[in-house]
Amino acid sequence: MAYETIILDVDNHVALVTLNRPDALNALNDQLLSELAACLTACQENDKVRAIVITGSEKAFAAGADIAMMKDKSFVDAFSGDLFTAETDQIMRVRKPIIAAVSGYALGGGCELAMMCDFIICSESAKFGQPEINLGVVAGIGGTQRLTRIVGKSKAMDMNLTGRFMDADEAERSGLASRVVPVKKLIEEALGAAQKIAEKSMVSVMVVKEAVNRAYEVPLREGLLFERRMFHSLFATEDQSEGMGAFLEKREAQFRDR
Ligand code: CO8
């Protein structure tokens, strides 16, 4: 499929998806979000892809949902059209790991898209924020929910109520970003992390994603039970005996996703 608002490169089992609406700082409009959702679904179905990186430009990962597109919507347009729900649900169904590589602005829907990814690597120029309050609205795709679970109530309230931006150091300190790297190293670092993941057993990788995400959904006891049962289940795979055998034989494991 040809995309107009994103660029897809697949190399060495890693898909690099670049948001590409430079004139609007990668603001998320219907077209971009539906192309992104379609592209990620295609990556899910493509055996050549084992890990995905989503990035933007040096100036902006994404400066939010497209304000021009939203401005004249009525409540009924937004509610009955279920604005952005289908696309974000589709993105959340991707079972392969997705890394957000963030430079510059990740605001509103941009910050929320980054948080929908499995982890965030950002550059020193990153600025995260939920400034919807300045527009007379509130976050709509996770800015009050995922952000609160990630950084806690105080910072989530601060960001959502004042609309202030969080810089890269604060994002790393708060657990929003897993690593901070120089701007010029961002893509290399994110692709390197994706490459490392791509070398693992895809079964274990998808179990990790499901298990960690479950930690946000269920009580600890249920989460621990899920983790333990998944751990037990992996003893049914060839990759378990290959991984443990390779360690004991002091060689690299050759995983076959079985
Ligand atoms: N939407 C549309 N266009 C945008 C957006 C946006 N979110 N952000 C920037 N642009 C455009 C500007 O209008 C400008 O276009 P033009 O050159 O044609 O005038 C171009 O991008 C460059 O922007 P600036 O000139 O403003 O660049 P600056 O470097 O001066 O400022 C900022 C950069 C600080 C990022 C500034 O552009 C800004 O504040 N942008 C808006 C940030 C914002 O408020 N984001 C939240 C949007 S609302 C949202 O995301 C809700 C998501 C949930 C929806 C859920 C629905 C269910």
Side-chain angles (χ1 to χ4, degrees), residues 21-28 59-60 62-70 78 82-85 105 107-110 112 129-132 134-135 137-142 165:
R21 288 190 72 211
D23 294 345
L25 302 185
N26 294 328
L28 311 171
K59 175 147 191 198
D66 191 314
I67 299 167
M69 182 196 83
M70 293 185 295
D82 221 358
L83 186 61
F84 295 155
T85 303
Y105 298 108
L107 305 177
E112 293 168 307
Q130 298 294 158
E132 289 91 338
N134 298 331
L135 303 171
V137 291
V138 298
I141 46 176
F165 300 162

Side-chain angles (χ1 to χ4, degrees), residues 20-147:
N20 187 34
R21 288 190 72 211
D23 294 345
L25 302 185
N26 294 328
L28 311 171
N29 63 5
D30 285 334
Q31 184 184 7
L32 188 149
L33 264 181
S34 63
E35 288 188 357
L36 179 62
C39 173
L40 295 177
T41 302
C43 288
Q44 174 64 38
E45 288 160 5
N46 182 349
D47 288 342
K48 294 203 178 83
V49 174
R50 299 172 65 82
I52 301 161
V53 174
I54 301 179
T55 195
S57 65
E58 281 191 14
K59 175 147 191 198
F61 177 74
D66 191 314
I67 299 167
M69 182 196 83
M70 293 185 295
K71 177 182 170 297
D72 293 325
K73 283 195 189 296
S74 66
F75 162 74
V76 173
D77 294 334
F79 178 74
S80 302
D82 221 358
L83 186 61
F84 295 155
T85 303
E87 297 89 342
T88 50
D89 283 355
Q90 195 178 341
I91 292 170
M92 292 309 295
R93 280 199 298 275
V94 175
R95 299 179 69 201
K96 292 179 182 173
I98 307 177
I99 301 170
V102 175
S103 263
Y105 298 108
L107 305 177
C111 185
E112 293 168 307
L113 173 63
M115 289 189 290
M116 274 184 248
C117 297
D118 297 309
F119 63 101
I120 298 173
I121 298 178
C122 74
S123 80
E124 290 159 351
S125 75
K127 288 183 188 62
F128 298 89
Q130 298 294 158
E132 289 91 338
I133 193 105
N134 298 331
L135 303 171
V137 291
V138 298
I141 46 176
T144 67
Q145 300 302 302
R146 289 197 180 91
L147 187 66

Side-chain angles (χ1 to χ4, degrees), residues 1 4 13 25 69 79 96 178 186 207 211 224 226 258:
M1 180 175 164
E4 290 175 354
H13 297 293
L25 302 185
M69 182 196 83
F79 178 74
K96 292 179 182 173
S178 69
L186 177 68
V207 167
L224 287 170
F226 179 78
R258 294 180 189 175

